[in-house]
Amino acid sequence: TPELTVDESLLESVRDEKTLDIDSIVLTDLESQLASGETTMKMILSNQEALQAQFSSLNELRAVLERATHLFYNAPQAKATGYGSSVLEAAYLEEPMFVSEAPASSSGAPVSESLLRPGSAHFETSSLGLLLSYYTGIIATAQVPAFERILFRATRGNCFARFAEIHEPILDPETKQMMKKSVYLVFFSGVEAKNKISKICSAFGATKYPFSENEEERNNAYAECRRRIHDLDLILAQTKSTRIETLKSIQKNLPVWKDKVLREKAVFHSLNLLNYDTSGRLFIGEAWCPSDEVEDVRSALERGRIRARVSVDSILERKSHGHKTHPPTHFRTNRFTAVFQGIVESYGIASYKELNPAIFTVISFPFLFAVMFGDIGHGIIMTAVAAYVVSQEKKLAKSKLDEMMETVFDGRYIILLMGLFSIFTGFIYNEFFALPLDLFTSRWKYTAASTMACGIDNCMNPDQVLPPLSPYPFGFDPIWKSSQTALLFFNSYKMKLSVVLGVSQMVMGIVCSYSNAKYFKEPVDIWYVFVPQMIFMNATFGYLVFLIFLKWLTDWNAPGAAPAPDLKAILIGLFMSPGSVPPELQMYPFQAQVQLILFVLALVAVPWMLIPKPMILKARHEARMSKKYRLIDDKSEVSALLEPSGVLPGSSEQGKLAGEEYSAEEDEEEFDFSEVLVHQMIHTIEFVLGAVSNTASYLRLWALSLAHAELSDVFLEKLLIMTMDTGNPIAIAIGFVLWAGATIGVLMLMESLSAFLHALRLHWVEFQNKFYNMHGDGVKFEPFSYTSIGADA
């Protein structure tokens, strides 16, 4: 039996070791400790494998001793098979000879060691007076038919094979897998048959075990086998316990060790980026650092010098970067603003000093989400979940979360704002789980004189269906929910609201492009990008927003007032028939003249965006090229003349000056007028077509808001109200469970995810593409940090 040897000194040190301080770990000591631990674990595993193999072999030997005895003495007469052998049925093995305790040896003779080792052994029978030999052992049950067939053919029927299946699967010593096996017993005569059968057993992977014909020897062998199985079982349990204890002890410090190795690896990786000056024996490194943290870096270098006991000071100098070098972009965030910054940067990284739209996203993103998800009840559920996660954020930050819960935890603050804004828009829509709330008493009433409602304070003549003089203080009047024209009314309002919000956000994006151009001192972008874009957007869809507000503010029920015009027809007429407005579309005086002026302005804004900027950039480039300093090649004409600076043309001094001039000019980007013109053309076409498509894209606010409200109505009416009308408590309980499940599963999860993705698209495509990441050259500032190293690992 292999002896279990473990490095006890290492084991005791690991057991007694408390939580390590990462700064106190020395890599050389850690390396030796890990090497010693690896050696110990390999030794434990090697010993365990050897013990397990021997344990499996002894179990097979025990099965052979139990079942071969029945094959010898208790086997019934069986009908011969086609191959001249007989098979023992499992029913005859219900009471094996050795089932509990091994019978004591009457002679007390020691058991031969050869009986406990698998091998090639055969015994000659003397009781029958015949020279008959046999093999016995273990073979896989699935191979018994083929094994029997090969034995018959190889010996030409001059062998007698019997088999007994082992009911329980046993572990195979070779494959280390649980298998169904059978005990075989093959009788034969002659040396030639013996050699053939031995080779066949080896080919089939059949293990041969010794089996004595003498009953006393079998009893002693069985007792010895049982004893050794018991001993090995105890040793294996102890080995497993030792291995688990060792691994648990190492596991306690493994995270600290891993963190230490990752830190050292990151430090050495950063050191490899330094340049070594062989003349001065100095390491020189260039790095980006926030301007307000330069002194902190200087202080850190000084602390490092003192800890390393170095007499030479480290030198930190600020280095200016050229105009072609773009510093990385860094925005300071906290746990509240980090998720909004992540949403913005998922679209792209801002260029250095470019306007950061995350400050607007903090409000605009949850608000646009709430426009599509407005419901007081749904907002309360979302707010409650987010508030709970926020209250438990310290505890959850230290816990290992699954993928879904980690997503909720990372977005806890944006979910909280989305829930709060959903409550706000829910009050505007006056919906609480699709039910209207009569908080301020409805301002409408029905009378017997008309099928239409009239205002409670303006119902002197019900046939006129006049609106109330004092409207509902906040949100929609609850009576609209039950009216026949509710869908038409809500559609009209939400469609117009979507256009107003969309145009407002796109105009804000264009204003942000002005802020970028002003900061970077690009007057060309101001006069030939910002100005024509503002003119085009406001002359078309800005005018549509003006018409929407004018239609809302006009009293179309006043005496002599014309019917309310169709705004879509007015907008189409602005382009199709400028300067002409039909009487039914007239909303204010001089409307035709105003629309003609707006059409001309929108028409002029397109070439204004397209042509001037490329021409101005070309003129700038030509002027810059004309001022370049050039070397004079013909030295003979001016060989006797000196430059005003006293430098002879073509001299080394002049070459140096020219080289400086050339090196400065190499920084200039190569100018290709055709490329600039094509780029500006694409940008112009994209903006003009995008003004139409982006405005239409904001109609998704109306569509998803309508879908959310209709789904809420369907779930409420078909699952809850319908079952409540039955009056059956069981039906009501089932209906409530189904309604709650549909509300949580469909509305709170699927519908909220859909609204989130649509709000994300509106910010990326419709808003940020007006000003953000226009050149695509932004690089995120990623400072060296031990925290980020651990997160990446």
Side-chain angles (χ1 to χ4, degrees):
T1 303
E3 296 182 359
L4 180 63
T5 56
V6 183
D7 190 345
E8 293 294 341
S9 61
L10 171 69
L11 189 57
E12 290 298 329
S13 64
V14 174
R15 288 171 181 168
D16 298 338
E17 199 168 12
K18 307 297 181 183
T19 302
L20 294 176
D21 182 10
I22 192 170
D23 296 329
S24 64
I25 300 177
V26 181
L27 281 184
T28 54
D29 298 340
L30 177 59
E31 183 180 5
S32 61
Q33 189 173 2
L34 292 176
S36 178
E38 181 183 9
T39 303
T40 301
M41 289 306 304
K42 285 183 178 180
M43 186 181 301
I44 293 176
L45 293 176
S46 176
N47 291 339
Q48 186 176 7
E49 290 178 359
L51 291 171
Q52 188 64 51
Q54 189 172 4
F55 183 79
S56 301
S57 298
L58 287 173
N59 275 329
E60 290 185 352
L61 176 59
R62 182 178 64 176
V64 170
L65 291 174
E66 290 176 352
R67 283 157 178 78
T69 300
H70 288 271
L71 293 175
F72 256 77
Y73 299 105
N74 299 330
Q77 296 294 328
K79 184 178 179 179
T81 66
Y83 299 104
S85 61
S86 60
V87 179
L88 184 67
E89 297 179 359
Y92 295 99
L93 299 179
E94 293 179 355
E95 298 180 358
M97 182 177 178
F98 305 105
V99 292
S100 56
E101 297 294 331
S105 175
S106 59
S107 61
V111 181
S112 173
E113 186 69 22
S114 64
L115 293 176
L116 296 174
R117 287 196 296 266
S120 175
H122 70 281
F123 301 89
E124 296 181 354
T125 60
S126 56
S127 59
L128 298 178
L130 299 174
L131 187 60
L132 189 63
S133 301
Y134 59 87
Y135 278 128
T136 183
I138 296 290
I139 188 173
T141 303
Q143 294 183 346
V144 167
F147 181 67
E148 183 182 5
R149 188 183 310 114
I150 296 298
L151 285 176
F152 178 79
R153 293 178 178 178
T155 60
R156 298 182 180 181
N158 294 319
C159 71
F160 183 72
R162 305 183 72 179
F163 302 91
E165 184 179 352
I166 303 173
H167 300 296
E168 302 83 9
I170 60 177
L171 182 67
D172 185 74
E174 298 296 331
T175 62
K176 305 297 188 297
Q177 295 180 354
M178 301 299 293
M179 298 178 59
K180 294 287 290 183
K181 292 193 174 185
S182 299
V183 175
Y184 70 88
L185 182 61
V186 182
F187 293 94
F188 57 89
S189 178
V191 177
E192 184 177 354
K194 170 187 173 182
N195 294 334
K196 288 182 179 179
I197 294 174
S198 178
K199 293 179 181 178
I200 292 172
C201 291
S202 300
F204 276 86
T207 309
K208 291 174 287 186
Y209 288 96
F211 182 79
S212 176
E213 185 182 357
N214 184 274
E215 181 179 359
E216 182 179 357
E217 290 183 359
R218 288 199 309 272
N219 292 340
N220 292 337
Y222 185 77
E224 180 70 13
C225 181
R226 291 283 299 272
R227 183 187 64 79
R228 296 193 60 179
I229 288 176
H230 177 71
D231 294 342
L232 282 177
D233 198 14
L234 295 178
I235 295 174
L236 284 172
Q238 182 183 0
T239 303
K240 182 178 180 180
S241 176
T242 304
R243 177 169 59 89
I244 293 175
E245 183 181 356
T246 304
L247 291 175
K248 284 184 177 180
S249 302
I250 294 175
Q251 182 189 17
K252 179 176 60 177
N253 294 319
L254 190 60
V256 183
W257 293 343
K258 181 180 179 181
D259 194 13
K260 178 66 175 180
V261 172
L262 290 175
R263 288 188 179 190
E264 291 295 328
K265 182 179 178 181
V267 169
F268 279 99
H269 175 72
S270 299
L271 291 177
N272 289 336
L273 299 177
L274 301 179
N275 297 321
Y276 182 65
D277 185 1
T278 56
S279 60
R281 301 181 67 182
L282 298 173
F283 284 99
I284 302 173
E286 296 181 357
W288 296 107
C289 173
S291 301
D292 55 351
E293 295 184 4
V294 173
E295 293 304 321
D296 295 337
V297 175
R298 198 186 306 276
S299 301
L301 290 173
E302 180 63 20
R303 290 196 302 271
R305 184 190 68 81
I306 295 174
R307 291 182 180 179
R309 299 179 181 178
V310 178
S311 58
V312 180
D313 294 337
S314 298
I315 301 175
L316 178 65
E317 295 181 351
R318 293 197 180 203
K319 181 180 179 181
S320 60
H321 54 84
H323 69 279
K324 285 191 66 176
T325 303
H326 301 286
T329 304
H330 176 56
F331 295 111
R332 298 186 184 277
T333 59
N334 51 37
R335 58 188 180 183
F336 177 79
T337 59
V339 61
F340 297 98
Q341 189 66 47
I343 289 176
V344 170
E345 293 182 350
S346 296
Y347 176 80
I349 306 300
S351 300
Y352 185 63
K353 294 293 185 179
E354 194 175 51
L355 182 66
N356 182 18
I359 188 64
F360 308 112
T361 307
V362 172
I363 300 299
S364 62
F365 189 93
F367 177 71
L368 291 184
F369 171 88
V371 171
M372 298 178 278
F373 197 75
D375 189 284
I376 301 173
H378 299 157
I380 289 175
I381 294 176
M382 184 173 291
T383 303
V385 172
Y388 172 77
V389 176
V390 170
S391 64
Q392 301 293 322
E393 63 179 8
K394 292 184 179 179
K395 179 181 178 181
L396 294 176
K398 300 176 182 178
S399 305
K400 185 174 180 60
L401 307 175
D402 55 27
E403 184 177 358
M404 181 176 180
M405 190 61 195
E406 186 176 3
T407 302
V408 174
F409 177 77
D410 293 339
R412 58 195 182 278
Y413 288 106
I414 193 171
I415 296 175
L416 179 64
L417 287 184
M418 290 190 303
L420 293 174
F421 276 93
S422 296
I423 296 174
F424 171 74
T425 54
F427 275 110
I428 294 179
Y429 299 156
N430 200 356
E431 289 192 358
F432 181 81
F433 293 115
L435 292 173
L437 300 179
D438 193 3
L439 300 177
F440 306 103
T441 306
S442 175
R443 298 302 195 264
W444 296 81
K445 68 177 181 179
Y446 287 99
T447 63
S450 175
T451 58
M452 303 291 289
C454 60
I456 58 175
D457 53 358
N458 195 13
C459 202
M460 297 297 294
N461 189 356
D463 293 336
Q464 296 181 0
V465 193
L466 298 176
L469 300 177
S470 175
Y472 201 71
F474 185 80
F476 291 123
D477 195 293
I479 200 171
W480 280 107
K481 191 71 175 178
S482 58
S483 66
Q484 296 180 355
T485 58
L487 186 61
L488 181 63
F489 174 74
F490 286 123
N491 275 348
S492 176
Y493 170 78
K494 292 180 178 180
M495 184 187 299
K496 293 180 176 63
L497 178 65
S498 300
V499 173
V500 171
L501 294 176
V503 174
S504 301
Q505 190 174 35
M506 288 189 293
V507 170
M508 185 175 67
I510 298 174
V511 172
C512 290
S513 69
Y514 166 78
S515 177
N516 283 333
K518 181 180 179 181
Y519 179 84
F520 290 111
K521 298 179 180 179
E522 293 288 350
V524 174
D525 289 338
I526 295 177
W527 293 106
Y528 304 105
V529 176
F530 164 73
V531 173
Q533 285 185 355
M534 285 292 290
I535 292 175
F536 183 87
M537 180 62 71
N538 287 286
T540 54
F541 297 100
Y543 179 64
L544 178 60
V545 172
F546 165 75
L547 294 178
I548 290 173
F549 280 103
L550 182 61
K551 187 174 181 179
W552 280 345
L553 296 174
T554 302
D555 184 8
W556 302 101
N557 295 313
D566 185 4
L567 299 185
K568 298 187 294 295
I570 296 177
L571 184 64
I572 294 173
L574 174 65
F575 296 97
M576 302 302 296
S577 57
S580 174
V581 179
E584 65 273 11
L585 299 180
Q586 192 77 29
M587 295 185 66
Y588 59 91
F590 305 106
Q591 181 176 345
Q593 292 79 359
V594 171
Q595 292 186 178
L596 179 61
I597 295 173
L598 293 177
F599 175 75
V600 172
L601 289 176
L603 201 62
V604 171
V606 176
W608 193 348
M609 282 186 285
L610 175 62
I611 299 174
K613 183 176 179 180
M615 301 302 296
I616 293 175
L617 294 179
K618 183 175 183 297
R620 282 185 180 180
H621 176 71
E622 292 175 350
R624 192 163 51 243
M625 293 295 292
S626 64
K627 295 181 180 179
K628 275 189 175 182
Y629 181 82
R630 294 185 302 164
L631 290 173
I632 299 177
D633 295 331
D634 191 358
K635 301 179 183 179
S636 60
E637 298 179 2
V638 290
S639 58
L641 299 177
L642 292 175
E643 292 290 320
S645 59
V647 180
L648 186 66
S651 63
S652 60
E653 289 81 359
Q654 188 192 38
K656 183 178 180 181
L657 292 174
E660 293 175 356
E661 186 73 19
Y662 283 137
S663 63
E665 291 164 359
E666 287 175 358
D667 289 340
E668 298 290 341
E669 295 183 3
E670 183 179 355
F671 183 83
D672 188 348
F673 176 73
S674 61
E675 181 179 350
V676 174
L677 182 62
V678 170
H679 178 271
Q680 189 64 23
M681 184 184 302
I682 294 174
H683 184 69
T684 302
I685 296 175
E686 181 183 8
F687 177 81
V688 173
L689 297 181
V692 180
S693 63
N694 293 162
T695 304
S697 181
Y698 276 94
L699 293 178
R700 70 185 67 236
L701 298 174
W702 155 58
L704 267 76
S705 175
L706 177 64
H708 183 82
E710 292 301 313
L711 278 175
S712 300
D713 284 340
V714 170
F715 291 154
L716 181 68
E717 294 177 4
K718 301 300 182 182
L719 297 179
L720 190 59
I721 297 178
M722 185 178 293
T723 55
M724 292 177 66
D725 291 341
T726 63
N728 189 338
I730 298 177
I732 294 175
I734 295 175
F736 177 80
V737 171
L738 293 176
W739 172 78
T743 299
I744 299 299
V746 178
L747 296 177
M748 296 304 301
L749 295 180
M750 297 174 59
E751 187 72 16
S752 65
L753 179 60
S754 175
F756 180 90
L757 295 177
H758 283 285
L760 190 66
R761 197 262 181 183
L762 291 176
H763 279 77
W764 283 354
V765 180
E766 276 70 35
F767 174 55
Q768 292 180 192
N769 74 338
K770 301 292 187 297
F771 67 96
Y772 182 74
N773 196 28
M774 299 297 292
H775 304 290
D777 55 358
V779 179
K780 187 177 178 61
F781 176 63
E782 297 179 351
F784 182 86
S785 171
Y786 287 145
T787 304
S788 61
I789 292 172
D792 295 339

